[in-house]
Amino acid sequence: ILNVEQSPQSLHVQEGDSTNFTCSFPSSNFYALHWYRWETAKSPEALFVMTLNGDEKKKGRISATLNTKEGYSYLYIKGSQPEDSATYLCAIRDNFNKFYFGSGTKLNVKP
Amino acid sequence: EADIYQTPRYLVIGTGKKITLECSQTMGHDKMYWYQQDPGMELHLIHYSYGVNSTEKGDLSSESTVSRIRTEHFPLTLESARPSHTSQYLCASSKGLAGTYEQYFGPGTRLTVT
């Protein structure tokens, strides 16, 4: 079993603040990393799929980077809005096609 | 917009009953997955399928079984429910191997076994 750690567990920010979360994972057997956003009472929604060391992806105000050699990924949100409030999940797929999720970072953006 | 459905959304059932959680997708995806999540814990992969007649166990041991007779349908069965099976069950699908393709998740089934 592959251990995926996310930090912080929760985060409270004011509207307009920029924020970032970390996903750490063992770099051996790495195949791909997924970021998801999970709003309460909804289904998890895929944000990014990243496979290559140095990958950077962006979608609107949200971006992510990947370092497979040292085993981490950062997710950034620029100018947080209340609608960004959700739990952000990181998942790793290993070379054996197994998926391992972190426990998530719960973001609360206050207006 | 993802088209993946799970029924029931909520289920409260007594110990010893047989239950089937339904999952269907209309996207024609070959790959389908079942995850289990206990409150406050991570999602754990319990079953996955590469296509019709293909099923594999995930990293978390589970007493449930799955079948994949049709591409669009991936039901999960518990022959005899126990309180330890109380959890949330999420179904997902992807176009290709989910390492490079995103997974689409259903809304989940919240199961309580009394």
Side-chain angles (χ1 to χ4, degrees):
Chain A
I1 291 182
L2 193 151
N3 191 33
V4 179
E5 294 192 358
Q6 290 188 247
S7 61
Q9 275 193 321
S10 64
L11 198 53
H12 297 262
V13 301
Q14 291 293 135
E15 182 176 353
D17 288 348
S18 293
T19 186
N20 66 86
F21 327 129
T22 304
C23 174
S24 302
F25 54 89
S27 52
S28 59
N29 290 324
F30 172 88
Y31 186 90
L33 180 144
H34 293 226
W35 278 104
Y36 293 89
R37 186 171 88 160
W38 195 357
E39 293 179 67
T40 304
K42 293 188 177 179
S43 309
E45 174 196 353
L47 290 173
F48 305 112
V49 179
M50 308 169 78
T51 55
L52 299 175
N53 185 46
D55 250 355
E56 291 188 24
K57 299 253 175 147
K58 188 174 180 182
K59 188 185 284 189
R61 294 178 292 99
I62 305 177
S63 60
T65 61
L66 177 64
N67 183 322
T68 59
K69 293 184 178 177
E70 295 181 39
Y72 64 84
S73 174
Y74 294 137
L75 186 80
Y76 300 93
I77 302 179
K78 184 177 176 183
S80 303
Q81 299 296 308
E83 57 265 30
D84 295 329
S85 296
T87 296
Y88 291 82
L89 296 175
C90 166
I92 302 298
R93 186 206 144 185
D94 69 9
N95 285 326
F96 305 101
N97 201 31
K98 297 288 179 73
F99 272 91
Y100 303 91
F101 277 79
S103 53
T105 293
K106 188 169 184 177
L107 173 67
N108 182 33
V109 183
K110 298 176 188 174
Chain B
E1 185 75 22
D3 295 315
I4 180 163
Y5 309 99
Q6 289 185 246
T7 57
R9 292 291 309 278
Y10 302 92
L11 179 61
V12 180
I13 201 161
T15 297
K17 300 287 187 185
K18 178 179 178 178
I19 56 173
T20 297
L21 308 185
E22 301 287 350
C23 175
S24 296
Q25 50 94 5
T26 58
M27 297 172 282
H29 288 170
D30 283 331
K31 313 299 185 288
M32 294 190 75
Y33 311 83
W34 274 104
Y35 291 89
Q36 182 176 344
Q37 187 193 32
D38 293 331
M41 302 297 286
E42 304 88 346
L43 284 165
H44 285 285
L45 180 68
I46 52 174
H47 298 283
Y48 61 100
S49 168
Y50 289 140
V52 170
N53 294 325
S54 148
T55 60
E56 301 283 346
K57 289 193 179 290
D59 62 299
L60 181 69
S61 174
S62 174
E63 292 167 348
S64 58
T65 59
V66 292
S67 62
R68 190 90 183 275
I69 299 170
R70 302 195 321 257
T71 298
E72 63 271 21
H73 196 213
F74 191 39
L76 181 145
T77 298
L78 278 164
E79 290 293 333
S80 180
R82 293 209 297 267
S84 59
H85 297 139
T86 294
S87 192
Q88 177 164 230
Y89 294 84
L90 283 150
C91 180
S93 72
S94 64
K95 183 174 151 183
L97 281 177
T100 45
Y101 291 93
E102 60 190 19
Q103 292 181 74
Y104 293 91
F105 281 86
T109 294
R110 198 170 289 278
L111 173 65
T112 302
V113 183
T114 61

